[in-house]
């Protein structure tokens, strides 16, 4: 394995652990947005809410994921 392979594997383990700490609804939103690459509007239609609400939910989820993963504050403000 190369260093890149090891880095990707470590990153995947960190993300998997963080996802396991989310509830089912939160994991579903993450899955739809980042794994299925659906737009916020598509997600809103599927879950029966507005695009703006999906945006808010995803923003909160990203903060929660950063806290779970333990990203430094400097990285949090940069994203």
């Amino acid at each position: 394995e190369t260093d890149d392979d090891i880095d990707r594997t470590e990153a995947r383990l960190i993300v998997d652990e963080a996802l396991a700490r989310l509830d089912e609804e939160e994991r579903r939103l993450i899955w739809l947005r980042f794994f299925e690459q659906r737009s916020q509007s598509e997600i809103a239609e599927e879950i029966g809410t507005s695009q703006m609400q999906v945006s808010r939910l995803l923003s909160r989820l990203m903060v929660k994921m950063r806290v779970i993963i333990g990203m430094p504050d400097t990285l949090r403000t940069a994203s």
Side-chain angles (χ1 to χ4, degrees):
E1 290 184 34
T2 67
D3 286 344
D4 286 343
D5 292 335
I6 292 169
D7 289 345
R8 276 192 291 277
T9 300
E10 287 176 354
R12 182 60 191 218
L13 290 171
I14 291 168
V15 170
D16 286 348
E17 183 178 323
L19 288 171
R21 295 178 62 184
L22 302 178
D23 66 33
E24 187 175 330
E25 182 178 308
E26 292 169 329
R27 279 192 302 274
R28 182 173 179 223
L29 285 171
I30 296 289
W31 182 264
L32 291 171
R33 182 67 183 107
F34 298 103
F35 292 87
E36 292 189 8
Q37 299 182 0
R38 299 230 197 140
S39 69
Q40 291 180 4
S41 296
E42 291 170 327
I43 295 168
E45 187 174 319
E46 181 165 323
I47 66 173
T49 192
S50 69
Q51 176 274 323
M52 185 58 76
Q53 181 63 14
V54 170
S55 177
R56 283 189 213 98
L57 291 169
L58 288 169
S59 291
R60 285 187 216 127
L61 268 172
M62 293 300 93
V63 169
K64 185 174 182 176
M65 291 284 287
R66 289 180 187 114
V67 168
I68 291 170
I69 292 170
M71 292 179 67
D73 288 336
T74 55
L75 291 178
R76 275 189 222 149
T77 57
S79 59

